[in-house]
Amino acid sequence: MGGPSSEHEISLGTGQNVIDNLDKTKYEPVAIKISKNGKWFLGGKLTNQLEALRGHDIIFNALHGTFGEDGKAQALMEHAGIKYTGSGIAGSAIAMDKFHSREIFKLAGLNTPRTMKLKRGENYVARLNFFINKIIKWPVVIKPCSNGSSVGVQIVEDVTNLEKAVIDAFKIDKHVLVEEFIKGRELTCGVLDNFNNEAVGALPITEIIPVKNHKFFNYDAKYKTGHSNEITPAPLDEVLTKKAQDIAVRAHQVLGCSGYSRTDMILKNGNGTIYVLETNTLPGLTKNSLLPKAAQTAGLTLTQLLDKIIDSSLG
C-alpha cells in the first residue's frame, strides 16, 4: 500500500481497511508500505524491495494509480515469483491507458465517447480545434490518459478555459485525452471472478449523483463525505440493469482483467445508450469505496469479499 502515485493516501486507506477486515483465523497480514519517494517498509521497518516481497503466500495489492495499477508492480511480483491479487501485467497496463482500453472496447462492440489523444510537446492546436468544432462540439472533457481518482479531469464549456485545462492535465501525464461530454447518469459496476455461479459475475450497479456543485464524480465528490449520493442498487429497470452488468463483465474480459474490477459508465439521457468510460483494475476498498458497498448489497461482507479476491488469485 502507499506508492508514488497521486492516490497514495487512498491506497493507505484501502490497505488498512483490508488488514482490519481480513479473517484473522485464516491470514496473518503484514503491511508492506511504499513511501511517495519509493522507499519500502515491511511491518514498519525500512527494507529493500526484494526483502519486502519475499516469503509471503500472496500479496494483496492495495496500490492505486501509477506503479501499482499499471503493470509495473505486477511485473515486480511476477519477477519475484510471488502470487498477488488483481489483474496481471497486460490487463493492468491496458486498463490504465484510457485511450488503448477504449480502442479495445470499441473492437468489442462497446460504446465509448469519441476521444482524441494529445501528446505533450507536439503541435496539436489545429487538430484539436477541428476535433472539437467539427466532430464533437462543446462542452468537452479533458483528462490525463493514465491516472485514477479523477485527478486532473475537467469539463470545459468553451474555448476560454481549454488551453489551461490541457496544460493542467499535461502536468500529470504526457498524454492527454479530449473527449465528447455525454450528458447522462453516472453508473459504475463491479465484477468478481467466480461469483454467482459465473466465471465472471457482476455485482449490483451503483448510480452516482454528485452534489455540492460538483459537475461530475471528481476527487472531492469521491472521497469527501456528503459530496455525492451513491445509490446501490441503481434505480434502473431490469433491462438496463442487465445491460450495464453485461457491459461491465465484457469490459473485464476483453481487457484480460482478473480477480475483480469496476467499470465506470454513462447512461446517456434520452436514448438509453450506455457508454464505457474506463475500467479500474484495483478499485478502492476504503470505508467510503463503491465496490465494498455493492458487495454488501449482494450479501457479501468485506471479509467475504476479500476471501473471494484472494481465493481467485490463489487458484
Side-chain angles (χ1 to χ4, degrees):
M1 54 172 140
S5 83
S6 54
E7 297 174 83
H8 178 88
E9 306 301 332
I10 310 303
S11 169
L12 292 178
T14 286
Q16 194 53 55
N17 209 30
V18 168
I19 288 171
D20 292 346
N21 286 279
L22 281 170
D23 182 344
K24 300 304 185 294
T25 65
K26 288 186 185 176
Y27 311 108
E28 290 176 36
V30 56
I32 302 171
K33 289 188 184 178
I34 305 171
S35 70
K36 277 186 175 174
N37 59 0
K39 289 191 167 66
W40 290 62
F41 296 84
L42 180 64
K45 292 185 180 146
L46 183 64
T47 184
N48 61 45
Q49 188 182 294
L50 210 60
E51 285 301 312
L53 293 175
R54 193 177 279 166
H56 313 289
D57 296 302
I58 188 164
I59 290 185
F60 197 106
N61 186 359
L63 296 166
H64 300 310
T66 316
F67 179 73
E69 207 166 347
D70 58 9
K72 293 190 183 78
Q74 288 76 7
L76 283 179
M77 292 183 280
E78 297 259 349
H79 185 65
I82 191 150
K83 292 187 175 193
Y84 57 91
T85 58
S87 294
I89 300 169
S92 301
I94 294 165
M96 191 69 173
D97 184 319
K98 294 184 179 74
F99 191 76
H100 278 155
S101 56
R102 283 183 185 184
E103 294 298 295
I104 290 169
F105 293 149
K106 283 192 286 190
L107 288 171
L110 302 175
N111 298 305
T112 65
R114 287 173 293 182
T115 308
M116 175 183 182
K117 182 158 83 165
L118 310 179
K119 187 179 178 186
R120 195 194 292 140
E122 72 176 358
N123 186 359
Y124 52 76
V125 176
R127 270 195 319 127
L128 180 57
N129 287 338
F130 181 83
F131 181 67
I132 293 174
N133 294 309
K134 297 284 189 248
I135 297 175
I136 64 169
K137 309 288 186 247
W138 300 96
V140 298
V141 183
I142 307 293
K143 60 177 66 165
C145 187
S146 301
N147 214 62
S149 289
S150 303
V151 175
V153 179
Q154 293 186 54
I155 295 172
V156 181
E157 304 285 346
D158 54 48
V159 74
T160 41
N161 299 313
L162 180 64
E163 192 180 354
K164 184 182 182 306
V166 172
I167 289 166
D168 286 350
F170 272 135
K171 288 174 186 165
I172 297 165
D173 195 344
K174 66 180 179 193
H175 292 111
V176 166
L177 302 187
V178 183
E179 70 183 43
E180 67 177 320
F181 173 71
I182 293 166
K183 196 163 179 55
R185 296 162 67 183
E186 292 190 60
L187 308 176
T188 192
C189 182
V191 302
L192 296 173
D193 283 1
N194 308 317
F195 177 61
N196 262 355
N197 300 319
E198 306 268 356
V200 182
L203 290 167
I205 297 162
T206 299
E207 179 174 4
I208 300 145
I209 304 168
V211 292
K212 297 194 186 278
N213 298 324
H214 296 300
K215 286 184 188 169
F216 65 102
F217 197 43
N218 61 15
Y219 189 91
D220 281 354
K222 279 186 166 94
Y223 300 115
K224 287 188 177 173
T225 304
H227 281 243
S228 65
N229 295 327
E230 293 145 8
I231 307 164
T232 313
L236 302 168
D237 64 39
E238 271 182 53
V239 174
L240 275 174
T241 297
K242 174 92 169 70
K243 193 173 166 188
Q245 287 179 318
D246 287 348
I247 286 169
V249 168
R250 186 97 181 98
H252 179 88
Q253 290 170 325
V254 298
L255 294 179
C257 299
S258 43
Y260 62 121
S261 71
R262 204 194 75 230
T263 294
D264 299 338
M265 298 165 266
I266 297 276
L267 172 62
K268 188 174 180 178
N269 287 348
N271 68 1
T273 305
I274 296 174
Y275 289 81
V276 181
L277 298 179
E278 65 178 285
T279 294
N280 305 279
T281 53
L282 292 176
L285 298 172
T286 68
K287 289 184 171 70
N288 286 334
S289 294
L290 299 169
L291 192 85
K293 289 178 184 173
Q296 196 175 4
T297 306
L300 290 175
T301 64
L302 183 52
T303 300
Q304 290 169 322
L305 173 66
L306 299 177
D307 271 355
K308 280 198 170 299
I309 290 169
I310 290 166
D311 287 346
S312 70
S313 308
L314 283 169

